[in-house]
Amino acid sequence: VPRRPTLRDVAERAGVHPGTASRALDPALPGRVTEVTARRVREAARELGYAPDPIARTLRTRRSGLIGVLIPDLMNPVLPPIVRGIEETLWDAGRAVVLADTDNDAARESTLLAELQARRCEGLIVATATRTSEAVRALAGGDVPAVLVTRDVDDADLPLVAGDDAAGVMAAVDHLTGLGHDRIAYLTGPLELSTTIVRLQAYLEAMSSSGAEPLVRHGEAFTAAAGRRLTAELLDDRDDVTAILAGNDLMALGVYEALAEAGLRCPADVSVVGHNDMPFVARLQPPLTTVAIPQREIGGAAARALLRRLDGGAADADLRRLLPTRLVVRGSTMRRP
Amino acid sequence: VPRRPTLRDVAERAGVHPGTASRALDPALPGRVTEVTARRVREAARELGYAPDPIARTLRTRRSGLIGVLIPDLMNPVLPPIVRGIEETLWDAGRAVVLADTDNDAARESTLLAELQARRCEGLIVATATRTSEAVRALAGGDVPAVLVTRDVDDADLPLVAGDDAAGVMAAVDHLTGLGHDRIAYLTGPLELSTTIVRLQAYLEAMSSSGAEPLVRHGEAFTAAAGRRLTAELLDDRDDVTAILAGNDLMALGVYEALAEAGLRCPADVSVVGHNDMPFVARLQPPLTTVAIPQREIGGAAARALLRRLDGGAADADLRRLLPTRLVVRGSTMRRP
DNA sequence: TTGAAAGCGCTAACAA
DNA sequence: TTGTTAGCGCTTTCAA
């Protein structure tokens, strides 16, 4: 059986000692070896099709080249682009991505975090944080660098990369007030998520600066079902609402359903705005006006932030990196009737 | 610095030799060690918070516990559920998933396949195959077990797990003929994908057995743009088409666009059927009738097939496992006008 | 500049 | 049943 070649084979063929071959092949150390031997070794390596064994290297150097990526649920449409951005950036940097999905389960979160570390991941990218996750907070003190994506945890000095949701929500409120709306309701996601809080806060600020009275309903989850229930309740209580800002696009889907059920038209009777610009919302009827988030870039930026840290970068240089969002105006908003 | 404990530390504390400690901690070998020493060792391990180093273990045993998963593009809506199914099954079996995305690039495919193997992945799940991918075909002879998902490669004895697309397409044609249609066009995806061929073949068979004349257009990609272009061309040539079967849902989106552009209504003038039942197609206008594929189950089944092989299962027991698909009838199909 | 030797932490073959 | 020994493939001191 033609075993894959080791450094020893290369050294033998080049007529040098394995140690020398190792030095010759290490690009970080030019001048540690004669140019002529370096050439001989490289040649032998090429002829043999030699590739260093990452496992053996890791055992020696303690660097595995593995980055753990923890996500809440890959089937949530916002995540694939983020994971994609992370993954392409890390592969390009010679790292491999170990993906783990918590299924939105806190217990699973801490299990998987431990598992990822046990498997010697050099760094962690975490998209599952709730404001109170202890397991995530503990990462701040730990010895494996971690970066949070999208979701932040309270009171921990962990770097975060996310979209500038606040700016997006403010733009959405401005858009609606610009269209003459002032009875604008906001439907939140679960309060244990930082994204919910950030968006809600922005809504409240924008409303107060426009002098309009805020109107908030809290949802138990970022789902269409929650959006639908909240909207139905809202319409029962108040018949003067002319615009609804949904915590995210999934909830906006539920808003559409509830409006249709109540015999209200969108946007003729009620304008609707979502958040995230997930795939295909432009193809809904009506096409959804929403806050677009640069998901893939967020993933890439998170990966780069982690790489910087792994290369000994300053730990405090780039806490809280917010990437620009933008309001995409489509057919679900119009001038107040 | 309180270095994490090694097996040596555990052995020392338990007063035994490292080799003995190793045996005591190995769950696969009961009876290789006295119950009393086993207990002592386990106790010591617990007290020290010992966790075996997976890297060292891998170097020794050649088994990394890592499974490489190669996908064409995570942002293609069919993939997240598949990856999810793979990932949850493998974690439950104590394996970790290394995810790599080729971005539909053949060169990247072979690079990443090599990289995954260099990183000592014990097994591979490949969703990127084209009918001719050499790099994938080479896996058949290789020493790391591989399972294909959804996309097959020609002339290679690699196990495949996929949805039963043929049955789905036949059901779709039957559904349409049952509604009185006989001018049913089929829009294919790229011919280098096995899924395209399987679906097309099924369409041709179903048409011939119903005695209707087949009407096929070939698309260069499974995209909305392709679906749109093909439909526009089709409508230019033939004004008698009353139903269109799209290669997948993305193409069906394009069909919707082209019909609207041509001033034709769906389903009143033309019925449309998609394939995949990707998220949110039920919310299109009209809701899309489509062939649903059990994506998550396919992922799970692929993972289990690989695990079986890793445990020395027969290599030929389960080549070509097809999971049942089903036609989901929604609003885009109706009785022929 | 190169060779020699040790060792990362673990497991498996062999010996006692 | 347990201890001993060797070695997975690599890097990195230390000497020459």
Side-chain angles (χ1 to χ4, degrees):
Chain A
V1 270
R3 193 174 44 75
R4 64 195 295 275
T6 73
L7 194 51
R8 248 159 105 151
D9 301 324
V10 174
E12 197 165 320
R13 180 172 249 262
V16 299
H17 190 274
T20 308
S22 173
R23 279 183 294 249
L25 259 20
D26 185 345
L29 296 177
R32 301 283 301 124
V33 80
T34 327
E35 180 50 42
V36 52
T37 42
R39 193 192 312 284
R40 268 227 310 287
V41 171
R42 279 198 301 264
E43 174 115 349
R46 204 178 39 66
E47 285 168 7
L48 259 31
Y50 169 77
D53 184 331
I55 296 295
R57 175 177 281 172
T58 297
L59 184 59
R60 187 64 232 241
T61 62
R62 315 268 67 186
R63 275 174 283 106
S64 66
L66 256 32
I67 306 293
V69 175
L70 196 64
I71 57 173
D73 176 14
L74 189 57
M75 287 164 75
N76 178 333
V78 290
L79 284 169
I82 294 179
V83 173
R84 187 78 167 73
I86 292 173
E87 195 263 330
E88 64 192 352
T89 307
L90 290 180
W91 272 114
D92 287 350
R95 308 307 214 285
V97 170
V98 177
L99 186 71
D101 195 310
T102 64
D103 203 15
N104 282 303
D105 176 344
R108 219 171 142 70
E109 174 179 74
S110 82
T111 307
L112 286 173
L113 239 20
E115 185 74 26
L116 255 13
Q117 285 173 277
R119 285 181 183 273
R120 290 282 184 281
C121 286
E122 288 180 64
L124 260 17
I125 297 184
V126 179
T128 60
T130 64
R131 289 169 56 208
T132 55
S133 327
E134 268 317 317
V136 174
R137 201 182 328 226
L139 258 26
D143 35 27
V144 13
V147 171
L148 305 185
V149 169
T150 306
R151 298 179 176 183
D152 204 2
V153 65
D154 289 350
D155 307 317
D157 276 344
L158 285 166
L160 167 75
V161 178
D164 189 352
D165 286 357
V169 170
M170 290 191 183
V173 174
D174 286 354
H175 167 64
L176 290 170
T177 53
L179 291 172
H181 296 274
D182 61 349
R183 319 301 298 162
I184 306 171
Y186 189 80
L187 313 184
T188 79
L191 294 173
E192 69 261 25
L193 295 185
S194 66
T195 44
T196 298
I197 305 303
V198 167
R199 294 173 191 184
L200 174 58
Q201 217 70 48
Y203 161 81
L204 292 173
E205 263 185 53
M207 290 298 275
S208 111
S209 81
S210 84
E213 185 203 336
L215 192 48
V216 176
R217 300 281 157 148
H218 293 294
E220 70 285 0
F222 274 126
T223 59
R228 177 180 183 159
R229 186 178 61 71
L230 257 33
T231 305
E233 289 175 15
L234 181 69
L235 296 173
D236 270 356
D237 289 5
R238 321 258 315 209
D239 56 3
D240 59 344
V241 171
T242 63
I244 298 178
L245 246 162
N248 77 355
D249 291 346
L250 253 10
M251 297 187 80
L253 255 27
V255 176
Y256 275 21
E257 292 173 6
L259 290 178
E261 230 161 69
L264 261 19
R265 291 158 308 162
C266 172
D269 299 314
V270 178
S271 286
V272 176
V273 178
H275 200 123
N276 282 354
D277 194 27
M278 56 180 218
F280 311 117
V281 292
R283 295 177 187 269
L284 295 176
Q285 210 53 257
L288 184 65
T289 294
T290 188
V291 176
I293 293 178
Q295 288 136 342
R296 193 158 169 175
E297 288 72 25
I298 288 174
R304 280 188 298 275
L306 183 61
L307 288 169
R308 236 174 288 130
R309 236 148 258 259
L310 290 175
D311 296 344
D316 46 84
D318 46 10
L319 287 176
R320 316 194 62 71
R321 175 96 195 284
L322 299 188
L323 275 62
T325 53
R326 74 175 209 291
L327 182 71
V328 180
V329 177
R330 300 204 180 94
S332 65
T333 47
M334 65 172 281
R335 181 152 291 282
R336 175 193 183 172
Chain B
V1 268
R3 189 176 47 76
R4 64 195 298 277
T6 73
L7 194 52
R8 248 158 106 152
D9 301 324
V10 175
E12 198 165 321
R13 180 172 247 261
V16 298
H17 190 274
T20 309
S22 174
R23 279 183 295 249
L25 261 18
D26 185 345
L29 296 177
R32 300 284 301 122
V33 80
T34 327
E35 180 51 41
V36 52
T37 43
R39 192 193 311 284
R40 267 227 310 284
V41 171
R42 279 197 301 265
E43 174 116 349
R46 205 181 36 70
E47 286 169 8
L48 259 33
Y50 169 77
D53 185 330
I55 297 297
R57 176 177 281 171
T58 298
L59 184 59
R60 184 66 235 240
T61 63
R62 324 256 68 189
R63 274 175 284 108
S64 64
L66 257 32
I67 306 293
V69 175
L70 196 64
I71 57 174
D73 176 14
L74 190 57
M75 287 163 76
N76 178 334
V78 291
L79 284 169
I82 294 179
V83 173
R84 188 77 165 74
I86 293 173
E87 195 263 330
E88 64 191 352
T89 306
L90 290 179
W91 272 113
D92 288 349
R95 309 306 215 285
V97 169
V98 178
L99 186 72
D101 195 312
T102 63
D103 203 15
N104 283 304
D105 175 345
R108 217 171 145 69
E109 176 179 73
S110 83
T111 308
L112 287 173
L113 239 21
E115 184 75 26
L116 253 13
Q117 286 174 275
R119 285 180 184 276
R120 289 281 184 280
C121 286
E122 288 180 61
L124 261 17
I125 296 183
V126 179
T128 59
T130 65
R131 291 168 56 206
T132 56
S133 326
E134 268 318 316
V136 174
R137 200 182 329 229
L139 257 26
D143 35 26
V144 12
V147 171
L148 304 185
V149 168
T150 306
R151 299 179 176 184
D152 203 2
V153 65
D154 289 350
D155 307 316
D157 275 343
L158 285 165
L160 167 74
V161 177
D164 189 352
D165 286 358
V169 170
M170 290 190 182
V173 174
D174 286 353
H175 167 63
L176 290 170
T177 53
L179 290 172
H181 295 274
D182 61 348
R183 318 302 296 163
I184 306 171
Y186 188 79
L187 313 184
T188 79
L191 293 173
E192 70 260 25
L193 296 185
S194 66
T195 45
T196 297
I197 304 303
V198 168
R199 294 173 191 185
L200 173 58
Q201 216 69 46
Y203 161 81
L204 292 174
E205 264 186 54
M207 290 298 275
S208 111
S209 80
S210 85
E213 184 204 337
L215 192 48
V216 176
R217 300 281 157 148
H218 293 293
E220 71 286 0
F222 274 127
T223 59
R228 177 180 185 159
R229 186 177 59 71
L230 256 34
T231 304
E233 290 174 14
L234 182 69
L235 296 173
D236 270 357
D237 288 4
R238 321 259 311 210
D239 55 3
D240 59 344
V241 171
T242 64
I244 298 178
L245 247 164
N248 77 355
D249 290 346
L250 254 11
M251 296 187 81
L253 257 25
V255 176
Y256 276 20
E257 292 173 6
L259 290 179
E261 231 162 67
L264 260 18
R265 290 157 310 160
C266 171
D269 299 314
V270 178
S271 286
V272 176
V273 178
H275 200 123
N276 282 354
D277 194 25
M278 56 181 219
F280 312 116
V281 292
R283 296 176 186 269
L284 295 175
Q285 211 53 257
L288 184 66
T289 294
T290 187
V291 176
I293 293 178
Q295 288 136 343
R296 193 159 167 175
E297 288 72 25
I298 289 176
R304 279 188 298 275
L306 184 61
L307 288 169
R308 236 174 290 131
R309 236 146 259 260
L310 289 176
D311 296 344
D316 47 84
D318 45 11
L319 287 174
R320 314 193 64 70
R321 172 97 195 284
L322 298 188
L323 274 61
T325 52
R326 75 176 208 288
L327 182 71
V328 180
V329 177
R330 300 204 180 94
S332 64
T333 47
M334 66 173 281
R335 180 152 292 281
R336 175 193 182 173

